[in-house]
Amino acid sequence: MSERPTHLPFDPTIAQLGFVWFLRLVAIYCLVAGVGYWAQISGYYEGMLWRFDLMPWQWKVASVSLAVLYPVASTGLWMMVSWGPVIWFVAALGETLMFTTFSRYFFYKPQVAVIHGSVALVYIAFRILLFVQKRRQAKPRR
């Protein structure tokens, strides 16, 4: 029995398979981040902001927004639909701004910006590589 899926009309390249696995890893990260925000909202979070009713308003808005956006982004990334990366970008941008630009209202966590920036750069590199491969395959051979 072959390991290769039989429902694909073409042989996927290494870049295509890498892109799929990359999106799946980011989807798992988004799911874990979303569950973390849900744990914070529901009171299972051990920390200064451990109850939703005791959070400042900016934490309420941010935690609820990210608790919804991250699982939705995870679903879209796992299914590899076009809106998945868009929702991830919105959530990642919001969280990055939260922990860098607006750190006086939240916390200062520059590693969040580094992680999201790295994921965005790898995503852009994959998209460029896949675009170049598609152009090469579409060119007629002489």
Side-chain angles (χ1 to χ4, degrees), residues 62-88:
S63 60
V64 169
S65 299
L66 292 173
V68 171
L69 286 173
Y70 271 131
V72 171
S74 176
T75 303
L77 289 167
W78 191 270
M79 295 184 333
M80 295 184 310
V81 291
S82 60
W83 51 265
V86 175
I87 301 296
W88 171 83

Side-chain angles (χ1 to χ4, degrees), residues 65-117:
S65 299
L66 292 173
V68 171
L69 286 173
Y70 271 131
V72 171
S74 176
T75 303
L77 289 167
W78 191 270
M79 295 184 333
M80 295 184 310
V81 291
S82 60
W83 51 265
V86 175
I87 301 296
W88 171 83
F89 179 76
V90 170
L93 180 64
E95 191 175 41
T96 299
L97 289 173
M98 192 174 124
F99 290 123
T100 56
T101 305
F102 301 111
S103 63
R104 71 181 201 186
Y105 301 111
F106 299 99
F107 302 118
Y108 183 63
K109 290 185 181 176
Q111 64 269 26
V112 171
V114 170
I115 290 169
H116 290 315

Side-chain angles (χ1 to χ4, degrees), residues 11-65:
D11 275 341
T13 64
I14 292 175
Q16 290 168 333
L17 289 175
F19 186 61
V20 168
W21 281 103
F22 170 72
L23 290 180
R24 298 271 165 98
L25 286 173
V26 176
I28 291 168
Y29 171 80
C30 288
L31 186 61
V32 169
V35 168
Y37 280 107
W38 277 108
Q40 183 179 7
I41 289 170
S42 59
Y44 288 108
Y45 177 75
E46 292 293 326
M48 196 169 72
L49 303 170
W50 67 277
R51 278 187 26 201
F52 185 76
D53 59 334
L54 299 177
M55 289 180 188
W57 68 269
Q58 63 269 23
W59 269 102
K60 288 179 182 180
V61 170
S63 60
V64 169
S65 299

